[in-house]
Amino acid sequence: MAGTVRPPRLLALSLGGTITMTAATGGGIAPTLGAGDLVAAVPELAAVAEITARSPFRLGSASLTLANIVQVAAEIHAAFAEGYDGAIVIQGTDTIEETAFALDLMVRDARPVVVVGAMRGPQQPGADGPANLLAAALVAASPQARGLGTLVVLNDEIHAARFVRKAHTALTSAFVSAHGGPLGLVAEGRVRVFARVAPPALPVLLPGPGELPPVALVKIGMGDDGRLLPVLPGLGYAGAVIEGAGAGHVPGVMAEAVGELAARIPVVLASRTLGGPVFESTYGYPGSEIDLIARGVIPAGLLSALKARLALVLALAAGLSRENIAELFAAFG
Ligand code: ASP
């Protein structure tokens, strides 16, 4: 029929999280609901899109693995190949920033992938899940959200996967984005995008079947002497991320151990400040960024240590050389 516009088709995959949690027999709440239940609970979604709901996992999000997210990415690739217009991933907020960033590296399609969760369970007063799911669907179905990479939508705000992080344990406004704030918001049922991030030119880092290379994450505290570092390769770690102080610094006494580790496995340097780039050319004392880079570490650019760790796992799984790994992180600088 001429002039008929078909509704957008969205795939909704639920992985668990508070948004799916109801009273558990042993006390507290636990994941029970699936994507079909969540979609059925928000009748307004019918006016937004035709939604296919699937529930691959029912987990607290701290129990999700990168292998689980690889499976999710593969399902999204298959759906996009079938002509879906966008995807919604529903999961716990604890690790949403990691899932979103991993999907950003693994999907790389102009069509929106939106990750959503809730801070309050569906049986709690003021449950935010239904409103968040509706906002996520509006964004996933919106032409305005195309080309922005993977997004996180909570509390009516639209965040870029690269910059978003959970910054509070309880508030519905728990999500913040460093480096410019959210990209947009949903108000009165309308998606308004007021800032766009240019996706870095990167290959699709979607691993095939098989074990993913383990990458250690080491946070540096005052007075740390780095005694953990020499044992990491022996424990099977294929890479490490060091979350240094300030612009990317470790105690001077650790510098040699960092260099020895970087000679054995790729070591990426991030900052525990969670804002601003890792420096490359300012400080020149033992344990400073200039010293550590000269010893072979790779600066993480603007990526948090959590996201740098995922990028390193996927880069190692893709068999990237040390030079290519450095280029990958430079793209986030
Ligand atoms: N607090 C979490 C949530 O908001 C629990 C989880 O991440 O699974 O969903």
Side-chain angles (χ1 to χ4, degrees), residues 228-251:
L228 195 57
L229 301 184
V231 304
L232 295 178
L235 291 174
Y237 285 107
V241 173
I242 294 183
E243 193 183 44
H249 304 147
V250 304

Side-chain angles (χ1 to χ4, degrees), residues 16-19 21 59-62 91-95 118-119 166 169:
T18 298
I19 192 168
M21 293 190 194
L59 294 169
S61 73
Q91 73 149 74
T93 57
D94 292 357
T95 61
M119 295 298 291
K166 187 173 184 180
T169 57

Side-chain angles (χ1 to χ4, degrees), residues 8-12 76 79-80 83-88 111-114 140-141:
R9 272 207 302 157
L10 302 179
L11 174 68
I76 293 172
F80 283 173
Y84 278 80
D85 299 292
I88 303 170
R111 285 167 282 188
V113 176
V114 178

